[in-house]
Amino acid sequence: MQYSEKVIEHFMNPRNVGTIENPDGYGKVGNPSCGDIMELFLKIDNDIITDVKFRTFGCASAIATSSISTEMVLGKNIKEALEITNKAVAEALGGLPPVKMHCSVLAEEALKAAIEDYLAKKNK
């Protein structure tokens, strides 16, 4: 299996790893078939994502897609963040092997779950 240099770089040196206490948005998703689990924590101020952290239990592709997706959403507003697709995540990494595309789907799903959590809390 061939990984791009960017996948290897984000796997070896992942960005924004950790948790945020009392996050404004929290999403946790998993893929039962491969065992990958992603958690995403968002701090949001005036609908702008001001901080983002992740914890991922999974393969190199799962960690790399989590890492790059946090870089992609930081500083974006909610609407822009919701437009980030798994395809955009994979492209930002210089592509993923077809058998690993599900990892980019998890990254998109975790982001959407965290934003949905934020919006549900905000609209209470």
Side-chain angles (χ1 to χ4, degrees):
M1 195 174 326
Q2 203 53 18
Y3 288 112
S4 72
E5 279 183 33
K6 204 148 187 187
V7 170
I8 294 166
E9 164 60 22
H10 275 270
F11 168 66
M12 300 298 280
N13 303 293
R15 281 51 149 199
N16 304 306
V17 174
T19 61
I20 295 174
E21 286 235 2
N22 306 313
D24 297 311
Y26 170 76
K28 182 177 182 178
V29 297
N31 182 327
S33 68
C34 67
D36 292 344
I37 298 169
M38 278 182 199
E39 285 183 295
L40 197 67
F41 304 82
L42 299 175
K43 268 290 177 204
I44 301 171
D45 187 27
N46 214 14
D47 280 355
I48 303 290
I49 297 169
T50 57
D51 195 12
V52 56
K53 298 272 185 260
F54 80 91
R55 278 196 309 202
T56 294
F57 176 84
C59 65
S61 296
I63 291 165
T65 55
S66 300
S67 174
I68 195 108
S69 67
T70 63
E71 288 193 326
M72 292 170 77
V73 302
L74 198 55
K76 296 244 187 318
N77 67 39
I78 296 302
K79 187 177 176 299
E80 291 169 325
L82 282 170
E83 290 169 1
I84 294 172
T85 63
N86 73 294
K87 197 169 182 237
V89 170
E91 284 170 3
L93 284 169
L96 286 171
V99 70
K100 293 297 181 181
M101 277 304 284
H102 68 274
C103 295
S104 64
V105 173
L106 273 182
E108 178 185 340
E109 288 174 350
L111 176 60
K112 287 191 168 39
I115 292 171
E116 284 168 15
D117 179 54
Y118 162 71
L119 293 172
K121 288 175 183 172
K122 186 180 161 186
N123 294 329
K124 269 191 178 168

mmCIF file of all heavy atoms in Angstrom, residues 29-38 56-59 61-62 100 102-103 106:
data_model
loop_
_atom_site.group_PDB
_atom_site.id
_atom_site.type_symbol
_atom_site.label_atom_id
_atom_site.label_comp_id
_atom_site.label_asym_id
_atom_site.label_seq_id
_atom_site.Cartn_x
_atom_site.Cartn_y
_atom_site.Cartn_z
ATOM 1 N N VAL A 29 -17.230 9.149 16.410
ATOM 2 C CA VAL A 29 -17.716 8.206 15.405
ATOM 3 C C VAL A 29 -16.754 7.034 15.332
ATOM 4 O O VAL A 29 -15.584 7.143 15.712
ATOM 5 C CB VAL A 29 -17.856 8.860 14.007
ATOM 6 C CG1 VAL A 29 -18.897 9.971 14.026
ATOM 7 C CG2 VAL A 29 -16.534 9.386 13.496
ATOM 8 N N GLY A 30 -17.274 5.921 14.844
ATOM 9 C CA GLY A 30 -16.432 4.742 14.713
ATOM 10 C C GLY A 30 -16.831 3.914 13.513
ATOM 11 O O GLY A 30 -17.934 4.049 12.993
ATOM 12 N N ASN A 31 -15.893 3.091 13.083
ATOM 13 C CA ASN A 31 -16.146 2.174 11.980
ATOM 14 C C ASN A 31 -15.980 0.760 12.521
ATOM 15 O O ASN A 31 -14.857 0.327 12.767
ATOM 16 C CB ASN A 31 -15.161 2.454 10.835
ATOM 17 C CG ASN A 31 -15.408 1.564 9.634
ATOM 18 O OD1 ASN A 31 -15.819 0.414 9.760
ATOM 19 N ND2 ASN A 31 -15.135 2.085 8.465
ATOM 20 N N PRO A 32 -17.099 0.048 12.729
ATOM 21 C CA PRO A 32 -17.031 -1.292 13.319
ATOM 22 C C PRO A 32 -16.182 -2.278 12.503
ATOM 23 O O PRO A 32 -15.544 -3.151 13.067
ATOM 24 C CB PRO A 32 -18.488 -1.752 13.374
ATOM 25 C CG PRO A 32 -19.321 -0.565 13.069
ATOM 26 C CD PRO A 32 -18.457 0.457 12.417
ATOM 27 N N SER A 33 -16.146 -2.109 11.184
ATOM 28 C CA SER A 33 -15.435 -3.091 10.355
ATOM 29 C C SER A 33 -13.919 -3.016 10.525
ATOM 30 O O SER A 33 -13.230 -4.016 10.400
ATOM 31 C CB SER A 33 -15.829 -2.945 8.884
ATOM 32 O OG SER A 33 -15.355 -1.724 8.373
ATOM 33 N N CYS A 34 -13.384 -1.818 10.815
ATOM 34 C CA CYS A 34 -11.929 -1.704 10.960
ATOM 35 C C CYS A 34 -11.509 -1.365 12.386
ATOM 36 O O CYS A 34 -10.335 -1.450 12.721
ATOM 37 C CB CYS A 34 -11.358 -0.670 9.985
ATOM 38 S SG CYS A 34 -11.886 1.008 10.356
ATOM 39 N N GLY A 35 -12.466 -0.962 13.222
ATOM 40 C CA GLY A 35 -12.152 -0.654 14.612
ATOM 41 C C GLY A 35 -11.691 0.769 14.861
ATOM 42 O O GLY A 35 -11.375 1.118 15.994
ATOM 43 N N ASP A 36 -11.624 1.597 13.832
ATOM 44 C CA ASP A 36 -11.193 2.987 14.020
ATOM 45 C C ASP A 36 -12.250 3.770 14.793
ATOM 46 O O ASP A 36 -13.443 3.634 14.546
ATOM 47 C CB ASP A 36 -10.973 3.690 12.676
ATOM 48 C CG ASP A 36 -9.794 3.139 11.892
ATOM 49 O OD1 ASP A 36 -8.963 2.430 12.491
ATOM 50 O OD2 ASP A 36 -9.705 3.423 10.685
ATOM 51 N N ILE A 37 -11.781 4.606 15.733
ATOM 52 C CA ILE A 37 -12.671 5.487 16.490
ATOM 53 C C ILE A 37 -12.061 6.878 16.479
ATOM 54 O O ILE A 37 -10.868 7.033 16.738
ATOM 55 C CB ILE A 37 -12.839 5.008 17.954
ATOM 56 C CG1 ILE A 37 -13.469 3.624 17.994
ATOM 57 C CG2 ILE A 37 -13.676 6.011 18.755
ATOM 58 C CD1 ILE A 37 -13.425 2.965 19.363
ATOM 59 N N MET A 38 -12.877 7.879 16.160
ATOM 60 C CA MET A 38 -12.423 9.269 16.144
ATOM 61 C C MET A 38 -13.283 10.092 17.077
ATOM 62 O O MET A 38 -14.505 9.971 17.072
ATOM 63 C CB MET A 38 -12.571 9.882 14.751
ATOM 64 C CG MET A 38 -11.484 9.564 13.805
ATOM 65 S SD MET A 38 -11.772 10.420 12.232
ATOM 66 C CE MET A 38 -10.716 9.441 11.193
ATOM 67 N N THR A 56 -7.806 9.907 18.119
ATOM 68 C CA THR A 56 -8.166 8.839 17.196
ATOM 69 C C THR A 56 -7.457 7.561 17.579
ATOM 70 O O THR A 56 -6.262 7.557 17.840
ATOM 71 C CB THR A 56 -7.799 9.236 15.742
ATOM 72 O OG1 THR A 56 -8.619 10.328 15.360
ATOM 73 C CG2 THR A 56 -8.019 8.084 14.775
ATOM 74 N N PHE A 57 -8.245 6.492 17.614
ATOM 75 C CA PHE A 57 -7.702 5.158 17.791
ATOM 76 C C PHE A 57 -7.864 4.490 16.442
ATOM 77 O O PHE A 57 -8.980 4.260 16.003
ATOM 78 C CB PHE A 57 -8.502 4.410 18.869
ATOM 79 C CG PHE A 57 -8.059 2.992 19.053
ATOM 80 C CD1 PHE A 57 -6.979 2.687 19.876
ATOM 81 C CD2 PHE A 57 -8.689 1.951 18.399
ATOM 82 C CE1 PHE A 57 -6.558 1.380 20.040
ATOM 83 C CE2 PHE A 57 -8.277 0.634 18.547
ATOM 84 C CZ PHE A 57 -7.199 0.349 19.381
ATOM 85 N N GLY A 58 -6.745 4.269 15.762
ATOM 86 C CA GLY A 58 -6.868 3.669 14.445
ATOM 87 C C GLY A 58 -5.548 3.619 13.706
ATOM 88 O O GLY A 58 -4.485 3.860 14.266
ATOM 89 N N CYS A 59 -5.656 3.345 12.439
ATOM 90 C CA CYS A 59 -4.487 3.163 11.577
ATOM 91 C C CYS A 59 -3.879 4.506 11.175
ATOM 92 O O CYS A 59 -4.399 5.571 11.508
ATOM 93 C CB CYS A 59 -4.900 2.383 10.329
ATOM 94 S SG CYS A 59 -6.063 3.293 9.286
ATOM 95 N N SER A 61 -3.860 6.018 8.326
ATOM 96 C CA SER A 61 -4.785 6.839 7.538
ATOM 97 C C SER A 61 -5.821 7.526 8.424
ATOM 98 O O SER A 61 -6.175 8.681 8.186
ATOM 99 C CB SER A 61 -5.511 5.992 6.491
ATOM 100 O OG SER A 61 -4.598 5.475 5.559
ATOM 101 N N ALA A 62 -6.294 6.840 9.448
ATOM 102 C CA ALA A 62 -7.280 7.431 10.362
ATOM 103 C C ALA A 62 -6.666 8.610 11.115
ATOM 104 O O ALA A 62 -7.293 9.669 11.252
ATOM 105 C CB ALA A 62 -7.796 6.381 11.340
ATOM 106 N N LYS A 100 -8.471 2.653 2.045
ATOM 107 C CA LYS A 100 -8.409 3.533 3.219
ATOM 108 C C LYS A 100 -9.315 4.760 3.115
ATOM 109 O O LYS A 100 -9.311 5.606 4.003
ATOM 110 C CB LYS A 100 -6.957 3.994 3.460
ATOM 111 C CG LYS A 100 -6.021 2.871 3.884
ATOM 112 C CD LYS A 100 -6.451 2.295 5.219
ATOM 113 C CE LYS A 100 -5.534 1.187 5.687
ATOM 114 N NZ LYS A 100 -5.989 0.618 6.969
ATOM 115 N N HIS A 102 -12.370 5.016 3.660
ATOM 116 C CA HIS A 102 -13.324 5.078 4.770
ATOM 117 C C HIS A 102 -12.803 5.946 5.917
ATOM 118 O O HIS A 102 -13.583 6.484 6.684
ATOM 119 C CB HIS A 102 -13.669 3.672 5.276
ATOM 120 C CG HIS A 102 -12.531 2.968 5.944
ATOM 121 N ND1 HIS A 102 -11.600 2.231 5.227
ATOM 122 C CD2 HIS A 102 -12.149 2.895 7.232
ATOM 123 C CE1 HIS A 102 -10.704 1.734 6.071
ATOM 124 N NE2 HIS A 102 -11.014 2.132 7.286
ATOM 125 N N CYS A 103 -11.488 6.103 6.028
ATOM 126 C CA CYS A 103 -10.919 6.946 7.086
ATOM 127 C C CYS A 103 -11.291 8.412 6.870
ATOM 128 O O CYS A 103 -11.592 9.130 7.828
ATOM 129 C CB CYS A 103 -9.404 6.789 7.139
ATOM 130 S SG CYS A 103 -8.871 5.129 7.605
ATOM 131 N N LEU A 106 -14.798 8.913 7.997
ATOM 132 C CA LEU A 106 -14.874 9.065 9.454
ATOM 133 C C LEU A 106 -14.533 10.497 9.868
ATOM 134 O O LEU A 106 -15.191 11.061 10.742
ATOM 135 C CB LEU A 106 -13.897 8.114 10.154
ATOM 136 C CG LEU A 106 -14.374 6.701 10.458
ATOM 137 C CD1 LEU A 106 -13.281 5.925 11.194
ATOM 138 C CD2 LEU A 106 -15.646 6.686 11.270
#
